[in-house]
Amino acid sequence: MNISSFIRPEFFDIFGIVVFCFIIVLSVWALKTKRPISKWALIVLFIIGVAGILVDGVMVYTTYLK
């Protein structure tokens, strides 16, 4: 079994959505529980997560779902 036939490029696009959702959840959780991480770093992490899910979500929608 060839690994390139098992893991296709679509996998990484859809996996990206899951990763960006995880980043958003992690940053919101850390902001709500007031973890000892700087607030600006968590806000930047949240912005990266939102921007990533928007870009990746639009790409997945236009490429694979539409």
Side-chain angles (χ1 to χ4, degrees):
M1 179 175 196
N2 190 357
I3 191 76
S4 64
S5 65
F6 179 69
I7 299 178
R8 298 177 43 182
E10 298 90 16
F11 168 79
F12 294 104
D13 291 334
I14 295 170
F15 184 68
I17 291 175
V18 174
V19 170
F20 288 124
C21 286
F22 177 75
I23 290 172
I24 291 171
V25 169
L26 184 67
S27 62
V28 168
W29 172 77
L31 283 168
K32 284 189 174 197
T33 59
K34 296 180 176 43
R35 292 289 174 191
I37 302 172
S38 62
K39 189 174 183 175
W40 67 268
L42 293 173
I43 292 172
V44 168
L45 192 64
F46 178 76
I47 291 170
I48 289 170
V50 169
I53 202 164
L54 287 175
V55 170
D56 204 26
V58 168
M59 187 173 65
V60 167
Y61 177 75
T62 58
T63 305
Y64 305 111
L65 300 177
K66 192 172 180 183

